Amino acid sequence: MKLLIFWDIYWRVWRNAFLKELPSLKEIYKPDFIIVNVDNISSWRWPIEKHILELERSWVQVMTSWDHFFDNLEEIEDYISKESSSLIRPANYYESSEYKIPWVWYKIFKKNDKKLLVIHLLSSNWMRDSVYNPFLRLWEILSQNKEKVDGIVVDFHKEYTSEIYWMWMLYDGQISFCYWTHTHIQTNDEIILDNWTWIICDVWMSWSLNSVIWADFNSVKKRFITGINKWKIEQSLDKRYVVNWVFVEIENMKCLKIEKIKKIKR
């Protein structure tokens, strides 16, 4: 089973860059599943349905969202309430008998004879929402899921590297591949444990080459010089871009290969 995994495609310019590069990537890597994080795909907010459907038409089967999940909820609620939704929410929000947060929070995606379980988690440290312990939630999901799958992938949105390595060692052999997001830089620590679980701390993002992460340089200049967060941050519209992704191969739950790729368009 072959996977292409992209993280954090920012706004219109980089959404278009991703869609421009995707056909050639599909031809080269011939993936069974494409996983994309779409948290900032619609104007630094959670996606609108128009952009979700645009990705689906481009053969993206799985989308994750993390801590901006509720920002555009009114515009996307009908879509994510459908059983066919490609978008999954973080699995570890608190719920009770009085109130349950709806929508899909982990899902088995199927293509031909292949089954991929995708789980999405938020860290309980330094996120804007209070959430249930992600390590316990992952254990609960793995215990509850009785359907045989070919691979299990976990997208863990976090701040601390220590959380990454703890989850990796705790679930070595029980998941195929675990990757982390949020730090906006691709890390050089892809590694495999004894029982064929691979990890990488961060996949990185798709963004403007000439920007401060995604912001226009001049729009943040005063903030950096004065230390005052008063001036409005503007999106960089520079059409030179960087697209980052990882290519992963999984067989019988074992992750056999991970390859980091970066493409720069000047």
Side-chain angles (χ1 to χ4, degrees), residues 53-117:
L53 297 178
E54 185 177 40
L55 292 184
E56 285 187 345
R57 288 193 296 269
S58 300
W59 210 58
V60 173
Q61 297 96 339
V62 188
M63 303 177 211
T64 59
S65 56
W66 30 279
D67 62 329
H68 289 288
F69 180 79
F70 298 104
D71 288 0
N72 251 343
L73 185 58
E74 297 80 9
E75 297 186 41
I76 201 79
E77 187 169 3
D78 288 344
Y79 169 82
I80 61 174
S81 298
K82 298 175 183 176
E83 187 175 343
S84 60
S85 171
S86 301
L87 181 61
I88 59 175
R89 68 165 173 86
N92 55 319
Y93 284 113
Y94 282 109
E95 297 184 283
S96 69
S97 58
E98 292 187 8
Y99 182 72
K100 291 188 177 296
I101 301 175
W103 316 300
V104 178
W105 46 289
Y106 69 92
K107 187 172 183 178
I108 295 175
F109 294 86
K110 302 176 181 180
K111 183 184 177 186
N112 300 327
D113 60 341
K114 297 179 174 65
K115 295 181 181 180
L116 176 68
L117 172 58

Side-chain angles (χ1 to χ4, degrees), residues 24-40:
S24 63
L25 297 179
K26 289 191 294 186
E27 181 65 28
I28 294 169
Y29 294 99
K30 296 178 171 51
D32 297 294
F33 298 96
I34 298 174
I35 303 174
V36 176
N37 179 276
V38 295
D39 208 41
N40 292 307

Side-chain angles (χ1 to χ4, degrees), residues 6-215:
F6 299 82
W7 175 70
D8 210 5
I9 298 170
Y10 255 90
W11 292 11
R12 180 178 68 255
V13 173
W14 313 305
R15 186 174 67 245
N16 292 338
F18 166 76
L19 293 172
K20 179 181 178 181
E21 296 292 341
L22 190 57
S24 63
L25 297 179
K26 289 191 294 186
E27 181 65 28
I28 294 169
Y29 294 99
K30 296 178 171 51
D32 297 294
F33 298 96
I34 298 174
I35 303 174
V36 176
N37 179 276
V38 295
D39 208 41
N40 292 307
I41 205 167
S42 299
S43 302
W44 198 21
R45 299 177 66 193
W46 201 50
I48 59 174
E49 185 171 358
K50 172 185 175 182
H51 297 152
I52 290 291
L53 297 178
E54 185 177 40
L55 292 184
E56 285 187 345
R57 288 193 296 269
S58 300
W59 210 58
V60 173
Q61 297 96 339
V62 188
M63 303 177 211
T64 59
S65 56
W66 30 279
D67 62 329
H68 289 288
F69 180 79
F70 298 104
D71 288 0
N72 251 343
L73 185 58
E74 297 80 9
E75 297 186 41
I76 201 79
E77 187 169 3
D78 288 344
Y79 169 82
I80 61 174
S81 298
K82 298 175 183 176
E83 187 175 343
S84 60
S85 171
S86 301
L87 181 61
I88 59 175
R89 68 165 173 86
N92 55 319
Y93 284 113
Y94 282 109
E95 297 184 283
S96 69
S97 58
E98 292 187 8
Y99 182 72
K100 291 188 177 296
I101 301 175
W103 316 300
V104 178
W105 46 289
Y106 69 92
K107 187 172 183 178
I108 295 175
F109 294 86
K110 302 176 181 180
K111 183 184 177 186
N112 300 327
D113 60 341
K114 297 179 174 65
K115 295 181 181 180
L116 176 68
L117 172 58
V118 181
I119 303 167
H120 183 24
L121 297 165
L122 276 179
S123 169
S124 54
N125 295 301
W126 289 95
M127 293 289 123
R128 64 179 185 175
D129 296 327
S130 296
V131 294
Y132 180 66
N133 186 303
F135 309 105
L136 295 179
R137 178 66 82 212
L138 181 55
W139 177 81
E140 292 167 0
I141 293 173
L142 295 176
S143 299
Q144 292 166 7
N145 180 60
K146 302 302 181 183
E147 185 171 351
K148 182 176 174 57
V149 295
D150 300 289
I152 299 175
V153 171
V154 178
D155 177 342
F156 185 24
H157 192 60
K158 54 69 195 165
E159 289 281 2
Y160 295 128
T161 304
S162 57
E163 293 179 288
I164 295 172
Y165 286 94
W166 165 243
M167 180 174 284
W168 173 42
M169 294 178 181
L170 184 64
Y171 291 104
D172 179 32
Q174 298 181 61
I175 58 178
S176 308
F177 179 58
C178 191
Y179 64 98
W180 291 271
T181 53
H182 193 57
T183 49
H184 296 91
I185 185 70
Q186 191 178 68
T187 55
N188 196 36
D189 62 345
E190 67 275 18
I191 192 170
I192 188 171
L193 273 179
D194 295 338
N195 295 307
W196 297 93
T197 293
W198 277 80
I199 67 153
I200 184 171
C201 278
D202 210 312
V203 178
W204 206 11
M205 60 192 293
S206 298
W207 62 324
S208 172
L209 181 62
N210 186 26
S211 70
V212 182
I213 299 185
W214 55 266

